[in-house]
Every structure is written in structure tokens, then in C-alpha cells.
Amino acid sequence: MKRLLTLAAGLLISLPSFAHEGHHHGLSEGLLHPLTGLDHLIALSLIGLLASQTGKLKLSMAQSVFALIVAALVASMGFVPPMLETGLAISLLVMAVLVAKVLPKAASVAGLAVCLVAALHGAAHGNEVPAGADMKLFFAGFIASSIALIGGGYLLGKTAQQSAYGQKITRAIAGLAGAFGVTALVA
């Protein structure tokens, strides 16, 4: 886990070095894409928060990355799920409810939710690949940033669990994420 976080931090810190000619339509855009969409930031962080609650970071990471890659590749080939934006907003609501522990969750329900959320956001990533982008570099970048966001959510969740106000902090984060989901749904 420490190696993964070190790699992610190194990639994020080195972003300015990708501003040179030749990298414009690939890795840097892929790295930045999940960081520039609030829905992506929230969804991936919530996956990490949920993983901190279930203790299944490796499984959540593997499920998320697999679903992101498959859905992004399919979307980049032209198949975009209908009502994608609505699905993205609903996915934030579902994850917020799971993270807030409003409903009891079985590991299978959490795993299915993670896969669906990652697939929807992967489809959005694949649909938004800039014209002329080097697909391999773009996908490598967005996967690296996605992993970093999931890891950040996991660390946030573990830190909150150590606090006397851990459950309140987690529910507040989930509430804000759910509010964003509602806003996106009605917008």
C-alpha cells in the first residue's frame, strides 16, 4: 500500500513535467481527467471510503480498476450507456448511502456497487477521451489517478475511524456526496 501511495504521489507531484510538447495528448490528460471532474473525485474517493469500512482495499481496487478499464475501452469504441449522466448521479447516491451505513450492507452488495460505479465512471472516462490522444497513455494516466483517489479515500476512512468522531465524519462526507448526487440528478 505504501508503494502504491508513493507512486501515486510521485505521479501527481510530477504533473508539471508533462506540460512539455509531446505529452499533451496522453498521459497528462489521463492523469488530470479524474481530478478535474467533481463526480469522478467523489465516486472514486467513496470507493476508497467503503473499502476502509469493509477492510477489502485490494478487492475493491481490483474490481474498480477492472471495471474502469473494460467500460472505458468499450465507451472509447463508441458504445456509451444510455442516460450515462443520470447513472453517474445515481451511483453517487448509492455509494453515499453505503458509506453512511444507512442500510445494512452485505459484502456482495458493496462489491456489486463498486463494480457498477467504477464501470459507469469508466464509461464516462472512455467517452471523454480527447481527440488525438494516445489511448494507451491516456488510460494509464486515468487509471493511476483513479487508484490514487481510491487510496486517498481509503486513508481518509482509516483516519476517520481512529477519531472519536469517525462515524460522524464519515456520514458528513457521505451526506455531502449524496447532496452532490441529488444536485447532479436534478440538474
Side-chain angles (χ1 to χ4, degrees), residues 56-129:
K56 298 186 183 286
L57 176 62
K58 290 179 184 176
L59 180 60
S60 291
M61 197 74 78
Q63 290 171 324
S64 300
V65 170
F66 179 76
L68 276 167
I69 291 169
V70 170
L73 288 173
V74 170
S76 71
M77 290 185 255
F79 176 76
V80 180
M83 299 177 53
L84 179 60
E85 294 300 320
T86 302
L88 292 171
I90 291 170
S91 76
L92 294 178
L93 291 171
V94 168
M95 288 301 294
V97 167
L98 287 172
V99 167
K101 298 181 182 180
V102 174
L103 300 172
K105 62 180 170 271
S108 59
V109 172
L112 179 61
V114 164
C115 286
L116 290 174
V117 169
L120 284 169
H121 288 269
H125 287 304
N127 188 44
E128 297 168 353
V129 174

Side-chain angles (χ1 to χ4, degrees), residues 18-61:
F18 294 119
H20 302 292
E21 205 60 42
H23 296 287
H24 182 64
H25 293 296
L27 186 61
S28 63
E29 287 182 351
L31 283 166
L32 288 172
H33 185 77
L35 304 173
T36 58
L38 194 54
D39 59 332
H40 299 309
L41 280 167
I42 293 170
L44 294 167
S45 298
L46 288 178
I47 289 172
L49 270 168
L50 187 61
S52 74
Q53 293 173 341
T54 62
K56 298 186 183 286
L57 176 62
K58 290 179 184 176
L59 180 60
S60 291
M61 197 74 78

